[in-house]
Amino acid sequence: MSKRALKLSEEGAHLSAKQSKKHWSLGLLDSMKDPDLIYKETERVVIIRDKYPKAKIHYLVLPKDNITNIYKLEKEHVSLLEEFGELFKSIQAEYKSHILNAGFHAAPSMLRLHMHIISKDMVSPCLKTKVHWNSFTTTFFKPYKDILEELKENGFIKKMENDVHKSLMATPLKCNQCNYVPKNMPQLKDHLLSHE
DNA sequence: GTTCTAGAAC
DNA sequence: GTTCTAGAAC
């Protein structure tokens, strides 16, 4: 995330005189208010459909409180995170025939803490790049349970080193359901259909 | 995060 | 010649 985006988030996303459009990294704040995207809502939490789903089922779970990302979490947020877990359970119960994963990106691009709930098929026209793939299928994707445990244990989430992040994004493509190693993204996307 | 597209890869 | 990836976007 750029320094500029961070500054915007800290200042409450106001617009400067010269700036006509909000920075793209603030997009989730608008999506959270979009009735067409909202799937479910509680006192503390909003669940939206991802605008560019990377699998057949792809939701985002976000707090209404202004928590920027996982690295701003503290012990006091454990109960909020436990609600995330309950909401994940209820969605998994709703989609009995699908396997869903819940987790957070180690270095999210978009502001406002958001937990992905995503089906393992990874079949979607919006899944296009190696970075898309590796952000959900490598350890860049931090499972919900791991984050909850780490927060309970340490009271904060340890940042991923930049070089680790870079090498995870450069990981060669590999199927998330078998040992198939595709040559490129189109080949991977074709292959994923064979698991359907 | 997405879009666009130059030029690498095939 | 076409497909595919990767970097810029003021």
Side-chain angles (χ1 to χ4, degrees):
Chain A
M1 181 187 305
S2 70
K3 282 176 188 169
R4 164 142 195 87
L6 272 174
K7 193 160 194 294
L8 282 170
S9 75
E10 285 159 5
E11 291 171 358
H14 78 269
L15 301 176
S16 71
K18 283 185 181 175
Q19 196 180 18
S20 59
K21 276 185 181 175
K22 289 179 191 172
H23 192 271
W24 56 262
S25 64
L26 300 168
L28 287 180
L29 304 183
D30 288 330
S31 296
M32 286 176 74
K33 297 173 196 157
D34 184 346
D36 293 339
L37 293 178
I38 294 175
Y39 168 74
K40 191 183 282 185
E41 196 168 346
T42 72
E43 261 188 49
R44 296 189 287 182
V45 178
V46 180
I47 305 179
I48 60 175
R49 290 183 292 104
D50 193 296
K51 225 171 164 179
Y52 299 91
K54 304 303 187 293
K56 287 183 174 176
I57 301 161
H58 190 180
Y59 292 103
L60 300 178
V61 183
L62 311 99
K64 291 182 179 176
D65 270 3
N66 182 17
I67 304 170
T68 301
N69 56 45
I70 49 173
Y71 305 109
K72 294 283 161 55
L73 288 171
E74 299 177 9
K75 276 239 163 69
E76 65 189 67
H77 298 121
V78 164
S79 121
L80 172 72
L81 225 55
E82 284 171 340
E83 182 175 353
F84 280 24
E86 291 306 311
L87 291 164
F88 172 45
K89 268 190 200 170
S90 75
I91 291 181
Q92 177 65 84
E94 189 174 340
Y95 294 97
K96 288 185 170 61
S97 61
H98 293 79
I99 295 172
L100 305 183
N101 292 308
F104 302 82
H105 284 161
S109 300
M110 307 288 278
L111 300 182
R112 184 57 59 91
L113 176 69
H114 56 281
M115 180 176 80
H116 295 270
I117 294 179
I118 185 165
S119 55
K120 83 161 183 190
D121 53 85
M122 301 300 282
V123 170
S124 166
C126 298
L127 179 78
K128 295 175 177 176
T129 69
K130 182 184 224 178
V131 167
H132 288 157
W133 182 256
N134 283 335
S135 70
F136 287 101
T137 60
T138 68
T139 55
F140 185 81
F141 188 78
K142 306 187 91 176
Y144 161 74
K145 281 189 173 172
D146 293 0
I147 291 292
L148 178 61
E149 257 185 45
E150 185 174 348
L151 190 64
K152 281 180 171 173
E153 187 72 19
N154 301 333
F156 68 96
I157 304 301
K158 191 177 188 298
K159 275 191 182 162
M160 175 174 280
E161 296 295 337
N162 240 313
D163 56 341
V164 176
H165 173 192
K166 278 174 72 178
S167 80
L168 285 174
M169 291 302 97
T171 304
L173 298 174
K174 182 184 175 306
C175 179
N176 64 331
Q177 294 159 72
C178 73
N179 56 15
Y180 178 68
V181 175
K183 274 204 173 64
N184 52 37
M185 282 303 294
Q187 210 169 93
L188 172 58
K189 287 171 70 68
D190 276 347
H191 169 78
L192 289 169
L193 297 175
S194 74
H195 285 294
E196 293 292 283

